[in-house]
Amino acid sequence: MLISAAFYILSAIAIISALMVVAAKNPVHSVLFLVLTFFTTAGLFVLIGAEYLAMLLVVVYVGAVMVLFLFVVMMLDIDFVELKQGFTRYLPLGAGVAITLFAMFILVSNTRIAVNIGAGDLASPTPSTDIANNAEAIGKILYTDYILFFQLAGLVLFVAMIGAIVLTLRHRDNVKRQNVTKQVGRPRAEGVELMDPKSGEGVAL
């Protein structure tokens, strides 16, 4: 009874917060509602025993991605009035995408009902049941059967990170920068200058 009540409460909060992500006029409020959606979805994952996915939502999406989104929205000077002017122009396209997604959801639901998949089949674990939890099961499969794909995905993300740094790097001519290679490799004649000033006179630079 308690699990059912928690499921309905979390589901209602998740649906309402997801709608508010789209309906909120303030983009900061939209990001905060999206964070709430991720938290409630993580709670739903915990209820079905998928604690790894719940931890993934909280740590990766809420802890990193959403905070980054919030900082970008708050720090960038974006003219939201200008962005909203194209709403009516792109409304037919957005409505078409929404209708297509809704039709896909209905199609998938009808397919599941047609093949008569039971709840026990959906909840049955892929690995053996003697493993302690699903985080351990996912780790065993990920780092044994799919280790090559996991490493390639990490390499792609690494290249994307370098590309983002290169694209955002701005070289300014009036900014002094340190050239460590030139400093270390300079000869003694360029680094040391012997002076013989007279008594009572300074050194002209």
Side-chain angles (χ1 to χ4, degrees), residues 31 43 45 51 73 78 117 152 195 200-201:
V31 175
F45 279 134
E51 66 274 1
V73 170
I78 302 175
I117 300 177
L152 290 177
M195 306 293 292
E201 296 181 359

Side-chain angles (χ1 to χ4, degrees), residues 73-86:
V73 170
M74 294 177 65
M75 296 178 66
L76 291 182
D77 189 11
I78 302 175
D79 190 2
F80 295 103
V81 177
E82 184 179 355
L83 292 177
K84 293 178 181 179
Q85 291 178 357

Side-chain angles (χ1 to χ4, degrees), residues 101-183:
L101 290 176
F102 186 70
M104 291 174 61
F105 290 152
I106 295 177
L107 180 62
V108 172
S109 301
N110 292 334
T111 304
R112 180 184 178 279
I113 295 174
V115 297
N116 195 15
I117 300 177
D121 297 331
L122 293 175
S124 60
T126 302
S128 59
T129 56
D130 57 348
I131 298 179
N133 49 48
N134 56 15
E136 183 180 354
I138 293 175
K140 286 182 178 296
I141 295 176
L142 186 63
Y143 291 106
T144 53
D145 299 335
Y146 301 99
I147 182 63
L148 178 61
F149 301 100
F150 182 77
Q151 295 294 334
L152 290 177
L155 182 62
V156 170
L157 293 175
F158 180 68
V159 172
M161 181 182 66
I162 295 178
I165 295 174
V166 172
L167 290 175
T168 55
L169 184 62
R170 297 289 186 271
H171 290 282
R172 297 180 177 86
D173 298 333
N174 57 351
V175 177
K176 294 183 179 180
R177 289 183 173 85
Q178 183 180 12
N179 192 341
V180 180
T181 305
K182 184 178 179 181
Q183 291 176 349

Side-chain angles (χ1 to χ4, degrees), residues 36-100:
L36 179 60
T37 305
F38 282 139
F39 268 117
T40 51
T41 306
L44 292 174
F45 279 134
V46 171
L47 290 179
I48 63 175
E51 66 274 1
Y52 177 78
L53 295 178
M55 179 186 65
L56 202 66
L57 277 176
V58 174
V59 174
V60 177
Y61 286 93
V62 177
V65 179
M66 285 300 101
V67 174
L68 179 62
F69 284 175
L70 186 60
F71 282 163
V72 169
V73 170
M74 294 177 65
M75 296 178 66
L76 291 182
D77 189 11
I78 302 175
D79 190 2
F80 295 103
V81 177
E82 184 179 355
L83 292 177
K84 293 178 181 179
Q85 291 178 357
F87 177 76
T88 56
R89 183 174 58 180
Y90 295 106
L91 181 60
L93 179 61
V97 173
I99 293 173
T100 304

